[in-house]
Amino acid sequence: MGNWHNESTDGLCEALLSLKNKDECYAFLEDLCTVKEILEMSQRLSDKQRLRIRQRRL
């Protein structure tokens, strides 16, 4: 994967960090992504969390 850190992604990170609560986060995600993209990201996060738990057990 190439270097994706740039002004545009900096802005995205800053916007994410500025969210104050879950409702703001839902609204932000709905403005930025399709429902399918949101569900896919949430599944990837769940998978990553399960993987971390497994790695800690080894």
Side-chain angles (χ1 to χ4, degrees):
M1 216 181 282
N3 184 3
W4 53 273
H5 297 233
N6 57 46
E7 286 183 35
S8 182
T9 56
D10 285 350
L12 175 61
C13 288
E14 289 170 14
L16 288 167
L17 290 169
S18 74
L19 300 172
K20 295 177 181 71
N21 56 50
K22 196 183 296 187
D23 289 335
E24 280 189 15
C25 187
Y26 274 116
F28 180 81
L29 289 171
E30 288 174 352
D31 285 345
L32 206 60
C33 305
T34 65
V35 171
K36 182 179 180 199
E37 290 169 329
I38 295 168
L39 293 172
E40 287 171 350
M41 284 190 291
S42 66
Q43 184 60 54
R44 288 178 71 182
L45 177 61
S46 294
D47 294 345
K48 184 70 171 173
Q49 290 169 333
R50 280 193 293 274
L51 182 60
R52 284 185 181 159
I53 290 169
R54 281 189 217 146
Q55 287 174 340
R56 277 190 236 141
R57 290 180 183 167
L58 297 177

